């Protein structure tokens, strides 16, 4: 997690590898404050702790246990968009992407492409803007259960 006491208004919850975490920190350029989860349970805790603009999940980290947690995130936090991040080839990448799509991940950014990191910043900003438009300009990180 970021150690800064004053975070930007837009928090980005992530489930990434260590190298991906470092690269995302640089790519955010202070526009988003990444809060890195070490596992799927901590990702859910991060979402419960306060408003989150988006969730960024590494395709490399995807496995069935993570899939169950992602499905839980989609159910409990329908306004928080999820973005799949591809940083390197993975033997089960196709299967992971299909499974993530079935769970509710609606955006994919491949940062191996020349404009990938710029595309990531745009995808996060776009998903946050779409969430605000679709849901009456309310903060993107609020759960809707029972409200």
């Amino acid at each position: 997690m970021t150690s800064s006491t004053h975070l930007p208004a837009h928090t980005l919850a992530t489930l990434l590898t260590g190298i991906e975490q470092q690269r995302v920190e640089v790519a955010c350029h202070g526009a988003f404050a990444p809060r890195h989860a070490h596992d799927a349970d901590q990702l859910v805790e991060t979402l419960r702790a306060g408003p989150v603009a988006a969730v960024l999940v590494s395709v490399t980290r995807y496995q069935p246990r993570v899939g169950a947690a992602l499905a839980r995130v989609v159910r409990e936090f329908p306004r928080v968009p999820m973005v799949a991040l591809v940083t390197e080839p993975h033997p089960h990448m196709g299967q992971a992407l299909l499974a993530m799509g079935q769970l509710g991940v609606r955006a994919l950014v491949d940062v191996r492409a020349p404009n990938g990191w710029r595309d990531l910043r745009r995808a996060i900003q776009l998903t946050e803007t779409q969430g605000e438009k679709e849901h009456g300009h309310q903060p993107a990180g609020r759960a809707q259960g029972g409200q």
Side-chain angles (χ1 to χ4, degrees):
M1 295 211 178
T2 4
S3 60
S4 172
T5 57
H6 183 277
L7 297 176
H10 306 293
T11 300
L12 177 66
T14 73
L15 185 58
L16 308 170
T17 66
I19 292 170
E20 290 168 336
Q21 289 177 7
Q22 294 171 1
R23 294 173 76 187
V24 165
E25 292 277 345
V26 171
C28 285
H29 294 299
F32 291 90
R35 299 186 102 182
H36 304 297
H38 299 288
D39 58 32
D41 293 332
Q42 190 178 28
L43 180 66
V44 172
E45 289 174 18
T46 299
L47 287 158
R48 287 188 176 144
V52 173
V55 176
L56 185 60
V57 180
S58 171
V59 174
T60 305
R61 297 264 332 249
Y62 182 84
Q63 53 184 286
R65 184 175 183 279
V66 171
L70 292 181
R72 183 172 155 201
V73 167
V74 170
R75 283 190 312 272
E76 293 182 24
F77 303 92
R79 291 188 181 185
V80 181
M82 276 194 271
V83 178
L85 181 68
V86 176
T87 58
E88 60 186 86
H90 185 271
H92 304 287
M93 185 166 52
Q95 292 171 337
L97 288 170
L98 287 171
M100 291 171 83
Q102 289 177 335
L103 295 171
V105 177
R106 296 291 175 247
L108 167 68
V109 176
D110 187 344
V111 295
R112 299 173 300 169
N115 295 325
W117 290 104
R118 183 181 60 187
D119 292 345
L120 175 62
R121 287 187 293 276
R122 284 184 185 161
I124 294 167
Q125 291 168 346
L126 178 63
T127 55
E128 179 183 35
T129 302
Q130 286 174 341
E132 289 173 358
K133 285 180 183 176
E134 291 173 3
H135 303 287
H137 302 284
Q138 294 177 11
R142 301 288 182 208
Q144 291 303 301
Q147 294 180 354

